[in-house]
Amino acid sequence: MDALRAYRHPVTAARLAEQLGVSERTIYRDIRTLGELGAPLEGEAGIGYRLKAGSFLPPLMFGVDEIEALVLGARWVRRQGDAGLAAAAQSALARIAAATPRDLRDDMAETSLWVPLGDDASAVSDVHVQPVREAIRYQQRLQLSYCDEQGRASERMVWPFALAFFEGKRLLAAWCEMRSAYRHFRIDRILAVQTLAERYPVRRGVLLKSWRAELGIREES
């Protein structure tokens, strides 16, 4: 069940068998047993299996590596110039600690993996991260006042669908109406941003899939 939880799309018995170090026959037997016990599974042999959308699994114990990964991720998020995400990361850690059978707060506090603080000026320059992120979430058109690396200013109407967080910069991927093509915009070069109340006409998932195909980016599980 924990292995299936990691996949959004159906995963084959062969892949599960390889991941868990067992035979495909064992996977088929366990899938059948879980189904008889009422587990929220869907799928079939040859196509793959997954947890049904909206299903809830009880909390599990976390290993040392999992705790360190969660804390390190949350600490990195706090340095990304987005107050909303920073608060959400801290809240998520607190809820995870409280929801597990064993209190993990001490383990989390004593994790010795840290993200360098760096220069706070980088966070100040990313004041547009949150409105861009929210526009992506609600699939809304954005009007950008943008300055390119040569210092030339332009007005762009874009359909934002992805936001990449690199060390030192944040990069928006969007469909540009002016260029009729996918374009990338550095957040720190955005002079002003206005979110329009209207949704753009293509689903975000369709844009993301097309963009990945154009750039040759492998889809995540």
Side-chain angles (χ1 to χ4, degrees), residues 51-162:
L51 292 174
K52 291 181 180 178
S55 60
F56 172 78
L57 294 178
L60 302 176
M61 293 294 291
F62 289 95
V64 175
D65 286 344
E66 292 171 323
I67 292 173
E68 290 187 343
L70 289 168
V71 174
L72 184 62
R75 287 174 176 170
W76 187 84
V77 167
R78 289 204 298 264
R79 298 298 308 160
Q80 300 312 306
D82 188 323
L85 277 183
Q90 190 63 34
S91 174
L93 282 182
R95 294 177 66 181
I96 289 170
T100 52
R102 180 170 62 89
D103 194 321
L104 300 178
R105 283 174 294 183
D106 288 342
D107 291 345
M108 289 179 172
E110 294 170 5
T111 295
S112 297
L113 300 179
W114 294 89
V115 177
L117 294 180
D119 185 358
D120 285 339
S122 64
V124 174
S125 68
D126 283 356
V127 293
H128 301 307
V129 170
Q130 185 164 344
V132 166
R133 181 170 57 83
E134 290 176 351
I136 292 172
R137 177 189 301 167
Y138 299 115
Q139 303 179 73
Q140 295 172 315
R141 296 169 74 213
L142 278 179
Q143 182 172 343
L144 304 180
S145 295
Y146 191 72
C147 183
D148 65 17
E149 58 185 350
Q150 282 79 38
R152 296 171 300 196
S154 63
E155 295 293 321
R156 304 290 187 97
M157 189 68 70
V158 302
W159 308 348
F161 60 85

Side-chain angles (χ1 to χ4, degrees), residues 118-213:
D119 185 358
D120 285 339
S122 64
V124 174
S125 68
D126 283 356
V127 293
H128 301 307
V129 170
Q130 185 164 344
V132 166
R133 181 170 57 83
E134 290 176 351
I136 292 172
R137 177 189 301 167
Y138 299 115
Q139 303 179 73
Q140 295 172 315
R141 296 169 74 213
L142 278 179
Q143 182 172 343
L144 304 180
S145 295
Y146 191 72
C147 183
D148 65 17
E149 58 185 350
Q150 282 79 38
R152 296 171 300 196
S154 63
E155 295 293 321
R156 304 290 187 97
M157 189 68 70
V158 302
W159 308 348
F161 60 85
L163 183 61
F165 290 80
F166 298 97
E167 287 300 329
K169 64 179 180 180
R170 323 307 180 240
L171 195 66
L172 167 66
W175 175 265
C176 178
E177 293 185 5
M178 184 173 74
R179 302 297 186 189
S180 294
Y182 294 113
R183 288 292 185 266
H184 302 97
F185 304 92
R186 279 184 45 169
I187 300 297
D188 60 332
R189 290 179 179 158
I190 295 177
L191 306 175
V193 59
Q194 180 180 356
T195 304
L196 283 78
E198 62 195 71
R199 291 167 62 98
Y200 45 76
V202 181
R203 288 193 302 110
R204 181 180 63 235
V206 173
L207 291 173
L208 189 58
K209 185 175 182 179
S210 174
W211 171 74
R212 281 173 168 162

